[in-house]
């Protein structure tokens, strides 16, 4: 079978697998977040931490909970790194410097998992497990909680209560993420992923040369890394590393894990708002854009461009033999479309258009299909903007899912959308003005600009993947990128929770023939067009000097 | 004031929840996975799929480390793909340095990067010379570094390219070597996933086991 | 007086026909005269004041950009830089022009209203009952003033004594005088109108300066115009887009610098102005003003822009049956003979009994006789000799006594009693027919005759409410728009149901009392719906205030006018439907031009980006798909297009986009196609054409 043919069959298998779990998982998640009952382990946990799981909170308290939780998470994770030298399983790896510790703490708490360190040489197993793995779970759970709070805003009427933030975080982590992550950790081990508490193994190669092969507790983190759309590798090469992603089977499993929750959440949404087709419409938008971007990246990678690729005969630089071009394109598209940021190849070595596609995926504000929870709330924010414009065109004050879109809704939605472009554009602009930046780049010219743009897009969108040629260990990059991760995460979250509060306090407007239908092809086209247009209008000038210039050279 | 109080209160609650979840997700969960991985059938993979020869670990079947020939003119090894992290692009004297599995990583160079063009050119020249073929016969994976730098596999085309040299140096019959290459070639997963590959470490061990003198 | 009433009736019965003509047509609006562009120019220039620009974030950015480019153009003069500066100023000017034209139309109207506000002298009644002459502006709320024929009413108020005909043409434009009398629902008078006959005493209800005319002037001039909620939300969105583009352009400079060549401030500003939504930013306030203006042209005064927007959102229309759905009066529609009588016998008897009956019902019976049975309209000489027996509350019958022959028509029970009293027999058939007519929602009038000593029932006349033509289609349209119609009537449920079915309304409220109306509005609003209604009586006031859109009839009481958020000067309840359409049209115009404005950016990118960067990356020249002459002409063409499109769209902004009542889906498809897709394509053509022309300018480069 040809490369492309096999790639299509692989794609088909992936889509079928996602389709199979879409309903059960989506409905299960809806039940998790609407059920009144607490599991026994949860009840014990609530008692230990002294929170009342049956009280509900206003949006402000909910937001304070998210912020407070994330704040202590940053502090704890920072301290763990700073105290690594006294922690067990450190294998002599000492304390990390403050800039890296800050950047890494922020990075994992914000679900970005941008890495400005080489894990197998600096990070011990304790920090990996008790620090980073925990954040892999809870940062995803926070995303879920915020998304669910927004959905409740649509579902509820005339109330100021959005739910209980602790219950939502705990349930997301314990009932959704933990069982799936555990199951797939075992599956990954069965396919060859390592799970070792040792430092590594010494070998003497057939040529007689001695080597040390680094080992780590990979599998337990690998599964949640993909499932929670986190993406931080426990080994430097991330999912390109054979110990994280040993073969084409694990590769497909990891892609599946990346996509499964963001995709199924549209079902959860449809179920919770009582109209499944609303969820299907959002899924269609995500799917169309995802498919379009996959086509772009795949095509670009399969058609070598640039002198090095042409000389070599194929764009294999930075790609693994066992994955080849279709599987690398599929992984790259899925990881950048979901705010995961795990990579099974070097994105910096993707072709101009292919890398530009990965970049654009993030610049869509991560909605194809987006991160766990974040994808859903981001696309809902876009839906609000799209409905506002389209709603005017049908001659009514726009309403979405029975809620009027007035001043407050548009303001909060605008802030949620505005945060990311502001950070990316200002960040890249300032970075390019710094005279040290040129020296930090791994490539020059248009591609160098792409590296800077990619770094700020990745951090501001909490993606975490990188055009790895850029050296970001300077204090300037550690701090600005850290700030981008923080603001890129929490400005939209606060805006979204405020939006949720505003929506929940409204009464529900019944639907009529005069209401803009928010299902069906027309709406899907509108929403996809809005996402495309906002990203294109904002970033085309910058992209023109980066990927587009590279591709057209 | 009420806002500050609420934030402080929520932050303390957050700390308690975080600590409780750290016990569950940061200690119990990884240990449980580790515990399960001790089961025979999983244990070998969990500890890195180490390959032993005569009871001695010689490598991991998942990790590619390019072997070094004692005498470059009599090179008996099938070679892995170049490793970007160890290569010094400015050292054009040695475009194919020995592998090092302690660090992973990619070159992160773009296709229009002059250094990469130079490196590809140098590798192509070196491999063409080593295998005694013209540059255009050298496959893409032979001259490009992988994403991990630890790619355990090469394409069947690159393996095929190396067969004549290995036959010549080891003295094994060509048919035997081809047979070994075929034995260590994996097709696509389930016939459609990924790409066909040849595992270099296992192939080299098999060649040696078959009597090819190093 | 009688003449006036008839005229009034005719007017209400005329408008539905005009209406039926309108039905199914798009809402059209006031004419736009290109001359207005010229006459509004001075106003537009005055609006260049930065303080005025600050109110509109999008145009303020253009204003600042124009200043910036002017400074740079002066310091580094070239054909390109000066032309760019000039066209940026034109962009600001054109936006001002749009607003000035919209306001100008209101100003003319306000001017004519002001003329009615000439100084009046009021005859104030003192506590002692003596009159004193005071200037109209000195009147206070609660003062009593006397107005006699030929005098101008000095202020808004209610008639507390007397009855008079009043000429309200100054406000309504309607020359026919109207009646104003104390008590009841026709007691409100407006300052500035003239009493034509009789004498009335008016109790002043508003302070000078806050009178109806004052408010009207303020409204049509746009002086009291405040941004509506939707306009605010849209302004926020446009501001956000502006910020995004500002960032994109600002960040572009270091990127361009890194790439090898800094861009000039002129070019960057040109790019920014082209990208930010100037088209909608320039036209937004004009659209709002024009929306109010369209209402004014239909003789409806909206007290706030908010009300106009709410009209577009209405989910439920409460319509009074009489006058809105049906003609004001019941009409004879059928003769049903009983016993041995033939239809002709019945018709003859009915006609005879109604010849001298001046009531609308009576006249309609004669008309039916003329139409269906070819009988004469006028009474013959012998018939004139008869003695008319008028209707009284006691007899509940009317008729005629002619040459010993007595004909009576009236309510079934009364006529039956009359027949029995005169020794006649009433067949059961009569009851059956009467019940049947009642059940169909009609009113039965029984006709009986006493001739030669024998009393007998001739038959039954069916009086029906006649639904105005075209109403059913109208309601079907409303249903397609997602609007529910509820008919309000004092009729019994049976009658109401029949008429509701005939008219095709969705629901009805029978035997409606003001409290019921109120309860219905509350119930609908509880379910999240917006309700619109018309009303004129004081007892309608609470409901008018509660409704989201309350249209008070100008003939109504001042309490009603105070409570509603719109006043219909024509007092035509059917206009509610038009008001809803105008509200929708306003929102659609806003949405369509926003979409158009944003969609325009695509072409501008294709024009400007290659122009900016082709020197750095020659490969980007491939993006110059319009094959524009040079970087300078490309950028200037985009700027010129951006400015000209504002002028080109002023008529559309003022007229409003075409609106045809249809479902949301169909509307969206149409508008997306025209303004979305059109917005993508038009600028490609426009910029290309402009480039063809300006490349000829010497020195443009």
């Amino acid at each position: 079978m040809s490369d492309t043919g096999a790639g299509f069959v692989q794609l088909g298998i992936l889509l079928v697998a996602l389709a199979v779990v879409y309903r059960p998982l989506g409905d299960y998640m809806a039940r998790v977040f609407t059920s009144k009952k607490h599991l026994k382990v949860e009840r014990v946990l609530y008692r230990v931490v002294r929170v009342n799981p049956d009280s509900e909170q206003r949006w402000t308290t909910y937001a304070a909970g998210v912020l407070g939780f994330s704040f202590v998470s940053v502090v704890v994770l920072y301290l763990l790194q700073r105290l690594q030298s006294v922690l067990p399983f450190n294998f002599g790896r000492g304390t990390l410097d403050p800039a890296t510790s800050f950047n890494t703490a922020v990075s994992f708490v914000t679900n970005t998992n941008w890495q400005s360190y080489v894990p197998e040489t600096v990070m011990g197993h304790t920090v990996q497990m008790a620090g980073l793995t925990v954040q892999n779970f809870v940062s995803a759970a926070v995303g879920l909680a915020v998304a669910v709070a927004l959905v409740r805003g649509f579902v509820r009427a005339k109330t100021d209560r959005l739910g209980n933030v602790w219950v939502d975080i705990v349930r997301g982590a314990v009932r959704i993420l933990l069982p799936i992550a555990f199951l797939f950790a075992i599956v990954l081990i069965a396919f060859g992923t390592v799970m070792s508490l040792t430092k590594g193994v010494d070998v003497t190669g057939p040529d007689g040369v001695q080597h040390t092969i680094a080992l780590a507790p990979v599998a337990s983190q690998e599964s949640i890394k993909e499932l929670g759309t986190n993406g931080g590798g426990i080994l430097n090469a991330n999912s390109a590393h054979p110990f994280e992603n040993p073969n084409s089977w694990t590769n497909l499993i990891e892609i599946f894990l990346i996509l499964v929750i963001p995709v199924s959440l549209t079902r959860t949404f449809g179920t919770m708002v009582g109209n499944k087709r609303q969820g299907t419409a959002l899924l269609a938008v995500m799917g169309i854009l995802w498919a379009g971007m996959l086509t772009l990246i795949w095509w670009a990678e399969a058609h070598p461009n640039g002198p090095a690729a042409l000389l070599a005969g194929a764009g294999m630089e930075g790609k693994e033999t066992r994955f080849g071009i279709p599987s690398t394109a599929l992984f790259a598209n899925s990881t950048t479309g979901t705010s995961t940021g795990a990579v099974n190849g070097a994105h910096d070595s993707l072709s101009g258009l292919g890398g530009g596609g990965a970049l654009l995926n993030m610049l869509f504000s991560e909605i194809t299909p987006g991160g766990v929870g974040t994808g859903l709330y981001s696309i809902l924010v876009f839906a609000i903007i799209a409905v506002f414009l389209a709603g005017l065109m049908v001659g009514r004050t726009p309403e979405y899912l029975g809620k009027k879109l007035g001043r407050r809704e548009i303001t909060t939605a605008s802030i949620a959308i505005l945060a990311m472009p502001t950070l990316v554009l200002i960040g890249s602009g300032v970075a390019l003005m710094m005279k040290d930046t040129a020296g930090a780049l791994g490539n020059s010219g248009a591609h160098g600009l792409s590296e800077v743009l990619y770094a700020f897009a990745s951090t501001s969108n909490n993606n975490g993947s990188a055009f790895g040629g850029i050296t970001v260990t300077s204090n300037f990059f550690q701090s600005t990128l850290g700030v981008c991760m923080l603001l890129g995460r929490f400005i939209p979250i606060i805006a979204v929770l405020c939006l949720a509060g505003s929506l929940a306090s409204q009464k529900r407007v019944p639907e009529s023939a005069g209401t803009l239908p928010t299902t069906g092809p027309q709406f899907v086209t509108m929403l996809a067009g809005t996402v495309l247009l906002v990203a294109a209008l904002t970033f085309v000038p910058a992209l023109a000097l980066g990927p587009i210039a590279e591709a057209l050279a | 004031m009420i806002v500050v109080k609420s934030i402080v209160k929520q932050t303390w609650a957050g700390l308690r929840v975080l600590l409780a979840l750290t016990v569950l997700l940061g200690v119990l969960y990884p240990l449980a996975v580790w515990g399960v991985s001790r089961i025979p059938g999983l244990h070998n993979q969990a500890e890195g799929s180490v390959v032993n020869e005569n009871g001695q670990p010689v490598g991991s079947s998942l990790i590619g480390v390019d072997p070094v020939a004692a005498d470059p003119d009599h090179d008996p090894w099938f070679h892995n793909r170049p490793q970007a992290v160890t290569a010094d692009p400015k050292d054009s004297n040695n475009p194919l340095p020995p592998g090092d599995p302690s660090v992973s990583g990619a070159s992160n160079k773009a296709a229009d990067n002059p250094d990469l063009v130079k490196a590809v050119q140098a590798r192509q020249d070196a491999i063409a010379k080593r295998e005694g073929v013209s540059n255009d016969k050298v496959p893409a994976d032979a001259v490009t570094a992988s994403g991990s730098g630890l790619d355990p596999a090469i394409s069947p085309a690159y393996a095929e390219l190396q067969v004549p040299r290995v036959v010549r140096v080891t003295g094994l019959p060509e048919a035997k070597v081809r047979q070994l290459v075929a034995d260590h070639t994996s097709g696509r997963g389930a016939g459609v996933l990924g790409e066909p590959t040849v595992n270099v470490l296992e192939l080299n061990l098999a060649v040696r086991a078959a009597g090819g003198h190093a | 007086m009688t003449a006036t009433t008839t005229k009034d009736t005719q007017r209400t019965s005329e408008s539905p026909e005009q209406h039926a003509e309108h039905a199914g047509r798009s809402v059209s609006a006031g004419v736009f005269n290109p001359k207005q562009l010229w006459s509004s120019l001075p106003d537009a220039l005055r609006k260049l004041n930065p303080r005025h620009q600050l109110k509109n974030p999008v145009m303020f950015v253009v204003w600042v950009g124009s200043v910036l480019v002017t400074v740079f153009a002066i310091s580094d003069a070239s054909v390109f830089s000066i032309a760019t500066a000039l066209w940026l100023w034109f962009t600001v000017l054109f936006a001002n022009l749009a607003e000035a034209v919209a306001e100008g139309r209101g100003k003319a109207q306000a001017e004519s209203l002001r003329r009615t506000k000439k100084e009046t002298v009021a005859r104030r009644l003192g506590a002692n009952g003596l009159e004193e002459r005071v200037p109209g502006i000195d009147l206070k709320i609660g003062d009593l003033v006397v107005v006699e024929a030929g005098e101008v009413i000095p202020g808004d108020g209610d008639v507390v004594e007397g009855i008079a005909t009043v000429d309200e043409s100054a406000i309504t434009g309607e020359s026919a005088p109207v009646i104003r009398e104390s008590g009841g629902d026709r007691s409100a008078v407006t300052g500035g109108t003239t009493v034509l006959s009789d004498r009335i005493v008016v109790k002043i209800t508003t302070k000078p300066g806050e009178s109806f005319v004052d408010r009207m002037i303020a409204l049509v001039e746009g002086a009291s115009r405040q941004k509506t909620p939707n306009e605010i939300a849209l302004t926020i969105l446009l501001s956000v887009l502006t910020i995004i583009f500002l960032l994109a352009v600002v960040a572009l400079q270091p990127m361009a610098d890194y790439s090898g060549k800094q861009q000039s401030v002129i070019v960057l500003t040109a790019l920014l102005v082209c990208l930010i939504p100037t088209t909608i930013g320039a036209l937004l306030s004009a659209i709002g003003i024009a929306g109010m203006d369209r209402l004014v042209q239909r003789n409806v005064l909206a007290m706030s822009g908010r009300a106009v927007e709410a009209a577009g959102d209405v989910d439920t229309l409460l319509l009074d049956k009489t006058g809105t759905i049906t003609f004001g009066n019941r009409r004879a529609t059928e003769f049903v003979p009983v016993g041995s009588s033939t239809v002709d016998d019945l018709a003859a008897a009915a006609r005879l009994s109604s010849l001298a009956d001046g009531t609308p019902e009576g006249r309609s019976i004669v008309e039916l006789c003329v139409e269906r049975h070819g009988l004469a309209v006028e009474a013959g000489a012998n018939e004139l000799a008869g003695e008319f027996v008028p209707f009284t509350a006691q007899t509940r019958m009317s008729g005629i006594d002619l040459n010993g022959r007595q004909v009576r028509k009236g309510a079934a029970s009364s006529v039956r009693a009359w027949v029995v009293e005169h020794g006649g027999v009433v067949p059961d058939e009569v009851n059956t027919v009467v019940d049947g007519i009642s059940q169909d929602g009609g009113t039965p009038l029984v006709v009986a005759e006493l001739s030669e000593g024998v009393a007998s029932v001739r038959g039954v006349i069916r009086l029906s409410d006649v639904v105005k033509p075209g109403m059913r289609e109208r309601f079907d349209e409303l249903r397609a728009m997602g609007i529910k119609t509820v008919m309000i009537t004092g009729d019994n449920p049976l009658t109401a149901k029949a008429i509701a079915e005939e008219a095709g309304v969705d629901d009805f409220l029978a035997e409606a009392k003001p409290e019921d109306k109120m309860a219905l509005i509350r119930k609908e609003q509880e379910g999240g719906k917006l309700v619109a209604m018309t009303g004129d009586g004081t007892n309608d006031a609470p409901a008018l205030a509660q409704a989201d859109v309350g249209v008070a009839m100008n003939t109504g009481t001042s309490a009603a006018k105070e409570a509603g958020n719109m006043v219909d000067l024509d007092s035509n309840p059917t206009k509610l439907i038009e008001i809803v359409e105008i509200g929708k049209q306003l929102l659609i115009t806003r949405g369509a031009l926003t979409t158009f404005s944003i969609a325009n950016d695509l072409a501008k990118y294709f024009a400007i980006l290659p122009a900016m960067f082709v020197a750095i990356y020659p490969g980007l020249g491939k993006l110059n798909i319009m094959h524009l002459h040079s970087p300078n002409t490309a950028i200037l063409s985009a700027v010129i297009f951006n400015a000209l499109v504002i002028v080109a769209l002023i008529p559309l902004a003022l007229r409003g986009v075409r609106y045809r009542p249809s479902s949301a889906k169909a509307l969206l498809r149409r508008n997306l196609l025209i303004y979305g897709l059109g917005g993508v394509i038009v600028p490609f053509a426009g910029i290309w054409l402009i480039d063809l022309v300006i490349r000829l300018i010497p020195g443009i480069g």
Side-chain angles (χ1 to χ4, degrees), chain A residues 1 3 49 61 120 190 195-196 204 206-207 220 236-237 242 308 311 316-322 348-349 443, chain B residues 10 16 29 38 45-47 57-58 62 68 81 104 107-111 113 124 145 147-148 151 188 195 208:
Chain A
M1 198 182 294
D3 248 28
V49 301
T61 315
E120 55 258 56
M195 183 67 203
S196 173
T204 306
D207 55 358
S220 60
N236 192 41
L311 180 62
M316 278 304 285
E317 181 69 24
K319 294 187 183 67
E320 300 287 299
T321 313
R322 60 193 183 282
D348 212 348
S349 298
N443 293 278
Chain B
Q10 290 293 81
R16 298 193 300 271
Y29 159 72
R38 300 301 101 186
Q45 291 96 310
E47 291 300 324
V58 291
L62 295 179
V68 182
R81 298 176 64 189
S104 57
S107 74
N108 286 310
K109 291 202 182 344
N113 189 316
Q124 215 172 53
S148 62
D151 198 337
R188 293 189 170 101
E195 297 291 321
R208 184 155 73 179

Side-chain angles (χ1 to χ4, degrees), chain C residues 334-347:
Chain C
E334 192 187 1
F335 295 126
V336 187
V338 295
S340 56
S341 302
T342 64
V343 168
D344 289 332
D345 294 342
L346 173 59

Side-chain angles (χ1 to χ4, degrees), chain B:
Chain B
M1 264 332 279
I2 298 168
V3 177
V4 175
K5 226 170 130 188
S6 157
I7 290 178
V8 170
K9 190 177 155 230
Q10 290 293 81
T11 305
W12 279 119
L15 182 60
R16 298 193 300 271
V17 172
L18 176 67
L19 295 179
L21 287 177
T22 300
V23 172
L24 180 66
L25 305 169
V27 179
L28 296 179
Y29 159 72
L31 289 183
V33 174
W34 181 82
V36 173
S37 75
R38 300 301 101 186
I39 297 172
L42 296 179
H43 184 265
N44 181 47
Q45 291 96 310
E47 291 300 324
S49 305
V50 172
V51 179
N52 291 302
E53 200 181 46
N54 311 321
Q56 292 301 312
V58 291
S60 161
S61 64
L62 295 179
I63 301 293
V65 184
D66 194 32
V68 182
D71 174 3
D73 293 333
H74 292 84
D75 187 341
W77 305 119
F78 280 93
H79 283 280
N80 288 79
R81 298 176 64 189
Q83 190 176 7
V85 212
T86 53
D88 179 359
K90 284 166 193 86
D91 180 10
S92 51
N93 292 329
N94 189 8
L96 302 168
D100 175 8
S102 64
V103 277
S104 57
S107 74
N108 286 310
K109 291 202 182 344
D112 62 359
N113 189 316
D115 290 343
L116 181 61
V117 178
K118 227 181 284 169
V120 169
Q121 187 65 57
R123 289 168 188 155
Q124 215 172 53
D125 293 344
I127 292 169
K129 178 163 166 269
R130 188 181 73 201
E131 309 300 342
V133 295
S134 62
N135 276 18
D136 61 322
K137 294 280 184 288
V138 181
D141 64 316
V143 295
T144 51
S146 67
S148 62
L150 305 173
D151 198 337
I154 53 176
S155 64
Y158 189 28
E160 173 62 35
L161 184 76
Q162 303 184 60
V163 166
R165 172 177 51 79
V166 173
V167 166
R168 195 178 67 239
V169 176
T170 59
L172 287 172
E174 186 173 338
K176 176 70 187 169
V177 175
R178 286 196 189 285
Q179 180 58 46
L180 290 174
V181 170
D183 289 348
H184 291 90
T185 302
S186 329
R188 293 189 170 101
V192 292
L193 306 182
E195 297 291 321
T197 55
V198 179
N199 188 299
V200 179
L201 175 69
E202 290 175 356
L203 176 58
N204 277 330
L205 292 176
V207 169
R208 184 155 73 179
H213 48 82

Side-chain angles (χ1 to χ4, degrees), chain A residues 158 385 388-399 404-408 410-411 414-415 417-418 421-426 428-430 432-433 438 441 443-450 453 507-510 512-517 519 521-523 526 533-534 536-546 548-553, chain C residues 229-230 232-234 236-237 240-241 243-245 247-249 251-252 254-259 271 275 309-310 312-315 479-483 525-530 583-585 587-592 594-595 598-599 601-602 605 609 613 616-623 659 662-669 671-672 675-676:
Chain A
K158 292 186 183 169
I385 300 292
F388 181 77
L389 284 179
L392 285 180
M393 280 194 283
V394 303
R396 281 171 73 94
T397 303
E399 60 208 44
K404 295 249 179 213
L405 304 180
R407 178 186 187 161
R408 210 166 151 208
I410 290 302
T411 308
S414 296
I415 291 172
I417 285 193
L418 190 58
T422 308
L423 294 169
V424 172
L425 291 168
I426 292 185
S428 310
V430 170
L432 286 168
M433 287 196 294
L441 300 179
N443 293 278
S444 58
H447 197 85
L449 189 133
S450 301
L453 202 54
K507 51 189 174 191
R508 244 187 123 111
V509 184
S512 75
T515 314
L516 173 83
T519 56
Q522 196 178 313
F523 175 73
M526 272 258 354
L533 204 69
V534 168
L537 295 184
T538 314
F539 293 111
V540 157
L543 291 175
L545 291 176
I548 298 176
E550 185 186 343
L552 293 180
Chain C
N230 175 266
I232 291 171
L234 184 56
I236 291 170
L237 190 64
V240 166
L241 282 172
I243 295 171
I244 288 184
F245 288 127
L247 290 170
V249 171
L252 196 54
M255 292 181 190
D257 189 24
Y258 162 88
S259 304
L271 175 66
L275 292 183
E309 255 171 33
D313 281 356
V314 160
D315 301 284
R479 199 168 302 116
M481 287 154 68
I483 295 171
Q525 288 176 334
E526 203 57 27
K529 291 180 171 171
L530 263 60
K584 284 194 180 297
Q585 194 191 28
L587 292 172
I588 292 176
T589 307
R590 250 182 227 154
T594 305
T595 308
I598 298 171
D601 282 0
L602 195 68
Y605 268 138
L609 285 182
F613 298 127
I616 307 175
Y617 296 113
L620 289 178
K622 289 174 202 158
L623 295 181
Y659 173 69
S662 50
S663 74
K665 216 172 168 175
L667 273 175
L668 181 62
R669 189 172 45 233
N671 291 325
L672 262 185
Y675 298 98

Side-chain angles (χ1 to χ4, degrees), chain C residues 47 67 99 154 283 306 327 348 451 454 600 608 656 664 667 675 687:
Chain C
K47 283 171 192 278
V67 173
E99 202 179 81
L283 298 173
R306 189 186 283 259
F327 289 107
S451 63
V454 182
N600 269 205
I608 299 183
L667 273 175
Y675 298 98
I687 292 173

Side-chain angles (χ1 to χ4, degrees), chain A residues 55-66:
Chain A
S55 70
E56 294 224 326
Q57 297 153 346
R58 291 186 186 85
W59 82 262
T60 43
T61 315
Y62 202 101
V66 167

